[in-house]
Amino acid sequence: MEALTIHEAAQTTGWTPRMLRYIERIGLIEPARTESGYRQYGAGELQRLRTLRELLAEHEIGLGDVAFALRLRRDEPLSGAVDSWLEAEPQRPEAVSADEWLRWEQEKHARIIAALTTNETMETAA
Amino acid sequence: MEALTIHEAAQTTGWTPRMLRYIERIGLIEPARTESGYRQYGAGELQRLRTLRELLAEHEIGLGDVAFALRLRRDEPLSGAVDSWLEAEPQRPEAVSADEWLRWEQEKHARIIAALTTNETMETAA
DNA sequence: CCAACCTTGACACAGCTTTGATAAGGTTGC
DNA sequence: GCAACCTTATCAAAGCTGTGTCAAGGTTGG
């Protein structure tokens, strides 16, 4: 159960030491340090490094994307703002009358406000 | 309730026509089109363009970040994968024994698997 | 005490993103 | 029918990302 050094961790996970430092810098995996500052990668970190590789490869995303997702989950005001902005985009109103469409927009806005003030969980329908 | 052309929309929202096309290309705001293909920006789009500006400015994020958030919300396998990867990072285990720590890691993994297989909604504690 | 690690920091380069400018051509309204 | 729009496509520049490499210096273990 010895912790690995950065070079050892790099070897067993397929990253380079350089990238492990980069991944740490963007906040994704921050290994413990020894007294003197050496990084220590344990089994958990190694596992996460490997699954991180898969995650990037399988979904065509970048480290920056994962870092942003992490930021979203840590910065509640941010995720709230992003969510409410995205929320205001259900589907395009087809050919509706101007009045009808305006009312629909206003109701949508009201729905968003309501969703924001009552901070309930929203369910993602399967 | 007239729809604005791209130049008019750009003027009233502070974007450039070029950027409105770009914002459309990355999927954030896709205005309706006339028969002949001209973009039509309605009040809803204008509002969203303005709030998009605020969103970017207030939270130091980029269009690509918002586009990724949109992708997250549309691509369930992706968001599931990202979430479960991020989930596996509660806090650093302090000085614990190797056995203890290994067990803790395994349990964490089990928790993640459980959370994945029973696709229930997770609650974001306030 | 020295070889072989580790640390941070800097320079660098390829490739992608963001944004502008410009070209070639269609639409519209007077 | 022409001025003033619009469209798409392309070239280009500026900036960011991901990655390598090197330098100057600390740590470690025989």
Side-chain angles (χ1 to χ4, degrees):
Chain A
M1 212 33 46
E2 4 50 89
L4 303 193
T5 67
I6 193 171
H7 278 263
E8 294 165 336
Q11 291 243 307
T12 67
T13 60
W15 295 99
T16 59
R18 180 64 164 89
M19 286 313 294
L20 294 191
R21 297 198 184 95
Y22 184 65
I23 288 168
E24 178 179 11
R25 213 167 83 64
I26 65 180
L28 293 187
I29 292 181
E30 302 175 327
R33 300 292 189 111
T34 66
E35 284 273 338
S36 56
Y38 285 20
R39 290 172 180 81
Q40 295 183 115
Y41 291 86
E45 274 91 9
L46 299 180
Q47 186 60 28
R48 280 168 64 64
L49 283 170
R50 294 197 194 93
T51 55
L52 180 57
R53 277 190 147 291
E54 292 169 23
L55 183 63
L56 300 190
E58 287 177 28
H59 295 277
E60 287 278 354
I61 64 180
L63 289 170
D65 292 323
V66 183
F68 181 67
L70 175 60
R71 190 179 159 199
L72 273 182
R73 111 166 1 212
R74 290 188 173 162
D75 185 345
E76 172 51 43
L78 170 60
S79 67
V82 171
D83 275 359
S84 70
W85 190 87
L86 290 176
E87 205 67 48
E89 177 195 45
Q91 58 269 64
R92 191 134 330 278
E94 275 316 312
V96 300
S97 79
D99 288 0
E100 207 172 347
W101 167 71
L102 178 59
R103 206 175 57 247
W104 182 80
E105 280 293 329
Q106 288 170 340
E107 281 165 8
K108 182 174 69 179
H109 206 232
R111 282 198 304 276
I112 295 162
I113 299 296
L116 282 177
T117 50
T118 79
N119 52 356
E120 283 296 345
T121 63
M122 71 195 93
E123 49 176 317
T124 56
Chain B
M1 210 33 48
E2 6 47 90
L4 302 192
T5 67
I6 193 171
H7 277 263
E8 294 165 337
Q11 290 244 306
T12 67
T13 60
W15 295 97
T16 59
R18 178 67 165 89
M19 287 311 294
L20 294 193
R21 296 199 185 95
Y22 184 65
I23 288 169
E24 178 179 11
R25 214 168 85 63
I26 64 181
L28 294 186
I29 293 181
E30 301 174 327
R33 300 294 189 109
T34 67
E35 284 272 339
S36 57
Y38 285 21
R39 290 172 181 81
Q40 296 183 115
Y41 290 87
E45 273 91 10
L46 299 179
Q47 186 60 28
R48 279 169 64 64
L49 284 170
R50 293 197 194 95
T51 56
L52 180 57
R53 276 191 148 292
E54 293 169 22
L55 183 64
L56 299 190
E58 287 176 29
H59 295 277
E60 287 278 354
I61 65 179
L63 290 171
D65 293 324
V66 182
F68 182 67
L70 175 61
R71 188 180 160 197
L72 274 182
R73 115 167 357 214
R74 291 188 172 163
D75 186 343
E76 171 52 43
L78 170 60
S79 67
V82 171
D83 275 357
S84 70
W85 191 87
L86 291 175
E87 205 68 48
E89 176 194 48
Q91 58 270 61
R92 190 137 329 281
E94 275 315 312
V96 300
S97 79
D99 288 0
E100 208 171 348
W101 167 72
L102 178 59
R103 206 176 57 248
W104 181 81
E105 280 293 329
Q106 287 170 340
E107 280 164 8
K108 182 174 72 180
H109 206 229
R111 281 198 304 278
I112 295 162
I113 299 295
L116 281 178
T117 51
T118 78
N119 52 354
E120 282 297 343
T121 63
M122 70 195 93
E123 49 177 315
T124 56

PDB file of all heavy atoms in Angstrom, chain A residues 97-120:
ATOM      1  N   SER A  97     -48.996  32.941 -32.685  1.00  0.00           N
ATOM      2  CA  SER A  97     -49.255  34.377 -32.782  1.00  0.00           C
ATOM      3  C   SER A  97     -48.317  35.111 -31.838  1.00  0.00           C
ATOM      4  O   SER A  97     -47.804  34.558 -30.866  1.00  0.00           O
ATOM      5  CB  SER A  97     -50.696  34.662 -32.400  1.00  0.00           C
ATOM      6  OG  SER A  97     -50.812  34.653 -30.996  1.00  0.00           O
ATOM      7  N   ALA A  98     -48.105  36.364 -32.125  1.00  0.00           N
ATOM      8  CA  ALA A  98     -47.195  37.184 -31.324  1.00  0.00           C
ATOM      9  C   ALA A  98     -47.628  37.208 -29.857  1.00  0.00           C
ATOM     10  O   ALA A  98     -46.812  37.011 -28.948  1.00  0.00           O
ATOM     11  CB  ALA A  98     -47.140  38.597 -31.872  1.00  0.00           C
ATOM     12  N   ASP A  99     -48.922  37.445 -29.622  1.00  0.00           N
ATOM     13  CA  ASP A  99     -49.430  37.525 -28.256  1.00  0.00           C
ATOM     14  C   ASP A  99     -49.181  36.219 -27.514  1.00  0.00           C
ATOM     15  O   ASP A  99     -48.662  36.210 -26.410  1.00  0.00           O
ATOM     16  CB  ASP A  99     -50.941  37.770 -28.265  1.00  0.00           C
ATOM     17  CG  ASP A  99     -51.235  39.183 -28.707  1.00  0.00           C
ATOM     18  OD1 ASP A  99     -50.269  39.920 -28.994  1.00  0.00           O
ATOM     19  OD2 ASP A  99     -52.424  39.526 -28.774  1.00  0.00           O
ATOM     20  N   GLU A 100     -49.545  35.158 -28.169  1.00  0.00           N
ATOM     21  CA  GLU A 100     -49.426  33.838 -27.587  1.00  0.00           C
ATOM     22  C   GLU A 100     -47.983  33.561 -27.204  1.00  0.00           C
ATOM     23  O   GLU A 100     -47.675  33.115 -26.103  1.00  0.00           O
ATOM     24  CB  GLU A 100     -49.875  32.824 -28.653  1.00  0.00           C
ATOM     25  CG  GLU A 100     -50.432  31.551 -28.097  1.00  0.00           C
ATOM     26  CD  GLU A 100     -51.016  30.710 -29.222  1.00  0.00           C
ATOM     27  OE1 GLU A 100     -51.181  31.253 -30.355  1.00  0.00           O
ATOM     28  OE2 GLU A 100     -51.289  29.534 -28.986  1.00  0.00           O
ATOM     29  N   TRP A 101     -47.093  33.895 -28.091  1.00  0.00           N
ATOM     30  CA  TRP A 101     -45.679  33.627 -27.900  1.00  0.00           C
ATOM     31  C   TRP A 101     -45.119  34.476 -26.760  1.00  0.00           C
ATOM     32  O   TRP A 101     -44.381  33.999 -25.904  1.00  0.00           O
ATOM     33  CB  TRP A 101     -44.955  33.920 -29.206  1.00  0.00           C
ATOM     34  CG  TRP A 101     -43.486  33.973 -29.070  1.00  0.00           C
ATOM     35  CD1 TRP A 101     -42.651  32.935 -28.848  1.00  0.00           C
ATOM     36  CD2 TRP A 101     -42.678  35.131 -29.131  1.00  0.00           C
ATOM     37  NE1 TRP A 101     -41.365  33.375 -28.769  1.00  0.00           N
ATOM     38  CE2 TRP A 101     -41.345  34.726 -28.936  1.00  0.00           C
ATOM     39  CE3 TRP A 101     -42.927  36.500 -29.327  1.00  0.00           C
ATOM     40  CZ2 TRP A 101     -40.287  35.630 -28.935  1.00  0.00           C
ATOM     41  CZ3 TRP A 101     -41.879  37.378 -29.333  1.00  0.00           C
ATOM     42  CH2 TRP A 101     -40.580  36.947 -29.137  1.00  0.00           C
ATOM     43  N   LEU A 102     -45.548  35.728 -26.728  1.00  0.00           N
ATOM     44  CA  LEU A 102     -45.077  36.607 -25.661  1.00  0.00           C
ATOM     45  C   LEU A 102     -45.524  36.063 -24.319  1.00  0.00           C
ATOM     46  O   LEU A 102     -44.746  36.004 -23.364  1.00  0.00           O
ATOM     47  CB  LEU A 102     -45.621  38.027 -25.871  1.00  0.00           C
ATOM     48  CG  LEU A 102     -45.223  39.014 -24.777  1.00  0.00           C
ATOM     49  CD1 LEU A 102     -43.703  39.091 -24.690  1.00  0.00           C
ATOM     50  CD2 LEU A 102     -45.811  40.382 -25.058  1.00  0.00           C
ATOM     51  N   ARG A 103     -46.780  35.634 -24.234  1.00  0.00           N
ATOM     52  CA  ARG A 103     -47.279  35.110 -22.968  1.00  0.00           C
ATOM     53  C   ARG A 103     -46.478  33.863 -22.579  1.00  0.00           C
ATOM     54  O   ARG A 103     -46.079  33.698 -21.432  1.00  0.00           O
ATOM     55  CB  ARG A 103     -48.763  34.755 -23.090  1.00  0.00           C
ATOM     56  CG  ARG A 103     -49.489  34.820 -21.756  1.00  0.00           C
ATOM     57  CD  ARG A 103     -50.983  34.583 -21.902  1.00  0.00           C
ATOM     58  NE  ARG A 103     -51.268  33.303 -22.526  1.00  0.00           N
ATOM     59  CZ  ARG A 103     -51.813  33.174 -23.725  1.00  0.00           C
ATOM     60  NH1 ARG A 103     -52.118  34.233 -24.445  1.00  0.00           N
ATOM     61  NH2 ARG A 103     -52.048  31.971 -24.213  1.00  0.00           N
ATOM     62  N   TRP A 104     -46.203  33.054 -23.555  1.00  0.00           N
ATOM     63  CA  TRP A 104     -45.437  31.838 -23.311  1.00  0.00           C
ATOM     64  C   TRP A 104     -44.057  32.179 -22.758  1.00  0.00           C
ATOM     65  O   TRP A 104     -43.606  31.600 -21.775  1.00  0.00           O
ATOM     66  CB  TRP A 104     -45.324  31.063 -24.623  1.00  0.00           C
ATOM     67  CG  TRP A 104     -44.605  29.781 -24.492  1.00  0.00           C
ATOM     68  CD1 TRP A 104     -45.106  28.601 -24.027  1.00  0.00           C
ATOM     69  CD2 TRP A 104     -43.246  29.530 -24.822  1.00  0.00           C
ATOM     70  NE1 TRP A 104     -44.131  27.648 -24.048  1.00  0.00           N
ATOM     71  CE2 TRP A 104     -42.987  28.177 -24.525  1.00  0.00           C
ATOM     72  CE3 TRP A 104     -42.224  30.320 -25.339  1.00  0.00           C
ATOM     73  CZ2 TRP A 104     -41.742  27.610 -24.732  1.00  0.00           C
ATOM     74  CZ3 TRP A 104     -40.999  29.751 -25.542  1.00  0.00           C
ATOM     75  CH2 TRP A 104     -40.765  28.400 -25.235  1.00  0.00           C
ATOM     76  N   GLU A 105     -43.438  33.186 -23.343  1.00  0.00           N
ATOM     77  CA  GLU A 105     -42.122  33.613 -22.859  1.00  0.00           C
ATOM     78  C   GLU A 105     -42.200  34.072 -21.409  1.00  0.00           C
ATOM     79  O   GLU A 105     -41.368  33.746 -20.583  1.00  0.00           O
ATOM     80  CB  GLU A 105     -41.573  34.771 -23.714  1.00  0.00           C
ATOM     81  CG  GLU A 105     -40.968  34.329 -25.022  1.00  0.00           C
ATOM     82  CD  GLU A 105     -39.688  33.516 -24.824  1.00  0.00           C
ATOM     83  OE1 GLU A 105     -38.971  33.759 -23.832  1.00  0.00           O
ATOM     84  OE2 GLU A 105     -39.430  32.621 -25.646  1.00  0.00           O
ATOM     85  N   GLN A 106     -43.232  34.851 -21.122  1.00  0.00           N
ATOM     86  CA  GLN A 106     -43.366  35.381 -19.765  1.00  0.00           C
ATOM     87  C   GLN A 106     -43.590  34.261 -18.772  1.00  0.00           C
ATOM     88  O   GLN A 106     -43.022  34.254 -17.684  1.00  0.00           O
ATOM     89  CB  GLN A 106     -44.504  36.391 -19.718  1.00  0.00           C
ATOM     90  CG  GLN A 106     -44.139  37.695 -20.419  1.00  0.00           C
ATOM     91  CD  GLN A 106     -45.325  38.600 -20.587  1.00  0.00           C
ATOM     92  OE1 GLN A 106     -46.478  38.155 -20.528  1.00  0.00           O
ATOM     93  NE2 GLN A 106     -45.060  39.886 -20.794  1.00  0.00           N
ATOM     94  N   GLU A 107     -44.393  33.307 -19.155  1.00  0.00           N
ATOM     95  CA  GLU A 107     -44.642  32.177 -18.258  1.00  0.00           C
ATOM     96  C   GLU A 107     -43.371  31.377 -18.040  1.00  0.00           C
ATOM     97  O   GLU A 107     -43.076  30.952 -16.929  1.00  0.00           O
ATOM     98  CB  GLU A 107     -45.724  31.261 -18.845  1.00  0.00           C
ATOM     99  CG  GLU A 107     -47.125  31.808 -18.618  1.00  0.00           C
ATOM    100  CD  GLU A 107     -48.133  31.109 -19.499  1.00  0.00           C
ATOM    101  OE1 GLU A 107     -47.768  30.116 -20.160  1.00  0.00           O
ATOM    102  OE2 GLU A 107     -49.301  31.574 -19.530  1.00  0.00           O
ATOM    103  N   LYS A 108     -42.611  31.226 -19.111  1.00  0.00           N
ATOM    104  CA  LYS A 108     -41.356  30.500 -18.988  1.00  0.00           C
ATOM    105  C   LYS A 108     -40.462  31.199 -17.974  1.00  0.00           C
ATOM    106  O   LYS A 108     -39.886  30.556 -17.084  1.00  0.00           O
ATOM    107  CB  LYS A 108     -40.653  30.444 -20.348  1.00  0.00           C
ATOM    108  CG  LYS A 108     -39.367  29.666 -20.322  1.00  0.00           C
ATOM    109  CD  LYS A 108     -38.784  29.525 -21.709  1.00  0.00           C
ATOM    110  CE  LYS A 108     -38.285  30.853 -22.242  1.00  0.00           C
ATOM    111  NZ  LYS A 108     -37.694  30.718 -23.579  1.00  0.00           N
ATOM    112  N   HIS A 109     -40.405  32.512 -18.092  1.00  0.00           N
ATOM    113  CA  HIS A 109     -39.585  33.281 -17.173  1.00  0.00           C
ATOM    114  C   HIS A 109     -40.063  33.070 -15.742  1.00  0.00           C
ATOM    115  O   HIS A 109     -39.286  32.842 -14.825  1.00  0.00           O
ATOM    116  CB  HIS A 109     -39.645  34.758 -17.549  1.00  0.00           C
ATOM    117  CG  HIS A 109     -38.442  35.517 -17.124  1.00  0.00           C
ATOM    118  ND1 HIS A 109     -38.498  36.675 -16.403  1.00  0.00           N
ATOM    119  CD2 HIS A 109     -37.131  35.248 -17.311  1.00  0.00           C
ATOM    120  CE1 HIS A 109     -37.267  37.090 -16.164  1.00  0.00           C
ATOM    121  NE2 HIS A 109     -36.412  36.253 -16.707  1.00  0.00           N
ATOM    122  N   ALA A 110     -41.372  33.125 -15.590  1.00  0.00           N
ATOM    123  CA  ALA A 110     -41.951  32.931 -14.257  1.00  0.00           C
ATOM    124  C   ALA A 110     -41.578  31.552 -13.716  1.00  0.00           C
ATOM    125  O   ALA A 110     -41.215  31.399 -12.549  1.00  0.00           O
ATOM    126  CB  ALA A 110     -43.469  33.077 -14.321  1.00  0.00           C
ATOM    127  N   ARG A 111     -41.624  30.564 -14.579  1.00  0.00           N
ATOM    128  CA  ARG A 111     -41.268  29.212 -14.151  1.00  0.00           C
ATOM    129  C   ARG A 111     -39.826  29.160 -13.665  1.00  0.00           C
ATOM    130  O   ARG A 111     -39.519  28.533 -12.649  1.00  0.00           O
ATOM    131  CB  ARG A 111     -41.440  28.224 -15.307  1.00  0.00           C
ATOM    132  CG  ARG A 111     -42.876  27.833 -15.566  1.00  0.00           C
ATOM    133  CD  ARG A 111     -42.953  26.552 -16.409  1.00  0.00           C
ATOM    134  NE  ARG A 111     -42.239  26.661 -17.673  1.00  0.00           N
ATOM    135  CZ  ARG A 111     -42.755  27.201 -18.772  1.00  0.00           C
ATOM    136  NH1 ARG A 111     -43.981  27.691 -18.761  1.00  0.00           N
ATOM    137  NH2 ARG A 111     -42.048  27.239 -19.871  1.00  0.00           N
ATOM    138  N   ILE A 112     -38.959  29.866 -14.380  1.00  0.00           N
ATOM    139  CA  ILE A 112     -37.547  29.850 -13.993  1.00  0.00           C
ATOM    140  C   ILE A 112     -37.370  30.515 -12.635  1.00  0.00           C
ATOM    141  O   ILE A 112     -36.690  29.993 -11.750  1.00  0.00           O
ATOM    142  CB  ILE A 112     -36.705  30.571 -15.053  1.00  0.00           C
ATOM    143  CG1 ILE A 112     -36.761  29.794 -16.351  1.00  0.00           C
ATOM    144  CG2 ILE A 112     -35.275  30.722 -14.575  1.00  0.00           C
ATOM    145  CD1 ILE A 112     -36.353  30.588 -17.540  1.00  0.00           C
ATOM    146  N   ILE A 113     -37.991  31.662 -12.480  1.00  0.00           N
ATOM    147  CA  ILE A 113     -37.906  32.372 -11.201  1.00  0.00           C
ATOM    148  C   ILE A 113     -38.372  31.458 -10.078  1.00  0.00           C
ATOM    149  O   ILE A 113     -37.719  31.311  -9.049  1.00  0.00           O
ATOM    150  CB  ILE A 113     -38.781  33.645 -11.227  1.00  0.00           C
ATOM    151  CG1 ILE A 113     -38.287  34.589 -12.323  1.00  0.00           C
ATOM    152  CG2 ILE A 113     -38.743  34.330  -9.865  1.00  0.00           C
ATOM    153  CD1 ILE A 113     -36.907  35.126 -12.106  1.00  0.00           C
ATOM    154  N   ALA A 114     -39.505  30.817 -10.320  1.00  0.00           N
ATOM    155  CA  ALA A 114     -40.064  29.927  -9.302  1.00  0.00           C
ATOM    156  C   ALA A 114     -39.075  28.819  -8.974  1.00  0.00           C
ATOM    157  O   ALA A 114     -38.802  28.522  -7.813  1.00  0.00           O
ATOM    158  CB  ALA A 114     -41.376  29.321  -9.806  1.00  0.00           C
ATOM    159  N   ALA A 115     -38.497  28.254 -10.004  1.00  0.00           N
ATOM    160  CA  ALA A 115     -37.544  27.164  -9.791  1.00  0.00           C
ATOM    161  C   ALA A 115     -36.338  27.642  -8.998  1.00  0.00           C
ATOM    162  O   ALA A 115     -35.746  26.902  -8.222  1.00  0.00           O
ATOM    163  CB  ALA A 115     -37.081  26.598 -11.137  1.00  0.00           C
ATOM    164  N   LEU A 116     -36.030  28.925  -9.164  1.00  0.00           N
ATOM    165  CA  LEU A 116     -34.854  29.448  -8.473  1.00  0.00           C
ATOM    166  C   LEU A 116     -35.139  29.743  -7.007  1.00  0.00           C
ATOM    167  O   LEU A 116     -34.344  29.429  -6.132  1.00  0.00           O
ATOM    168  CB  LEU A 116     -34.369  30.731  -9.150  1.00  0.00           C
ATOM    169  CG  LEU A 116     -33.581  30.497 -10.427  1.00  0.00           C
ATOM    170  CD1 LEU A 116     -33.216  31.811 -11.047  1.00  0.00           C
ATOM    171  CD2 LEU A 116     -32.331  29.701 -10.094  1.00  0.00           C
ATOM    172  N   THR A 117     -36.299  30.351  -6.746  1.00  0.00           N
ATOM    173  CA  THR A 117     -36.596  30.780  -5.376  1.00  0.00           C
ATOM    174  C   THR A 117     -36.863  29.586  -4.474  1.00  0.00           C
ATOM    175  O   THR A 117     -36.308  29.490  -3.392  1.00  0.00           O
ATOM    176  CB  THR A 117     -37.792  31.740  -5.367  1.00  0.00           C
ATOM    177  OG1 THR A 117     -38.852  31.132  -6.116  1.00  0.00           O
ATOM    178  CG2 THR A 117     -37.409  33.058  -6.005  1.00  0.00           C
ATOM    179  N   THR A 118     -37.705  28.665  -4.925  1.00  0.00           N
ATOM    180  CA  THR A 118     -37.872  27.427  -4.173  1.00  0.00           C
ATOM    181  C   THR A 118     -36.750  26.516  -4.614  1.00  0.00           C
ATOM    182  O   THR A 118     -36.827  25.886  -5.644  1.00  0.00           O
ATOM    183  CB  THR A 118     -39.216  26.758  -4.503  1.00  0.00           C
ATOM    184  OG1 THR A 118     -39.067  26.096  -5.745  1.00  0.00           O
ATOM    185  CG2 THR A 118     -40.332  27.746  -4.603  1.00  0.00           C
ATOM    186  N   ASN A 119     -35.672  26.477  -3.828  1.00  0.00           N
ATOM    187  CA  ASN A 119     -34.561  25.665  -4.307  1.00  0.00           C
ATOM    188  C   ASN A 119     -34.784  24.188  -4.016  1.00  0.00           C
ATOM    189  O   ASN A 119     -34.211  23.609  -3.120  1.00  0.00           O
ATOM    190  CB  ASN A 119     -33.218  26.162  -3.774  1.00  0.00           C
ATOM    191  CG  ASN A 119     -33.237  26.306  -2.274  1.00  0.00           C
ATOM    192  OD1 ASN A 119     -34.284  26.103  -1.656  1.00  0.00           O
ATOM    193  ND2 ASN A 119     -32.103  26.621  -1.693  1.00  0.00           N
ATOM    194  N   GLU A 120     -35.661  23.628  -4.797  1.00  0.00           N
ATOM    195  CA  GLU A 120     -35.922  22.196  -4.746  1.00  0.00           C
ATOM    196  C   GLU A 120     -35.048  21.505  -5.772  1.00  0.00           C
ATOM    197  O   GLU A 120     -34.528  22.119  -6.693  1.00  0.00           O
ATOM    198  CB  GLU A 120     -37.389  21.917  -5.073  1.00  0.00           C
ATOM    199  CG  GLU A 120     -38.338  22.213  -3.931  1.00  0.00           C
ATOM    200  CD  GLU A 120     -38.061  21.303  -2.736  1.00  0.00           C
ATOM    201  OE1 GLU A 120     -37.352  20.277  -2.903  1.00  0.00           O
ATOM    202  OE2 GLU A 120     -38.514  21.629  -1.657  1.00  0.00           O
TER     203      GLU A 120
END
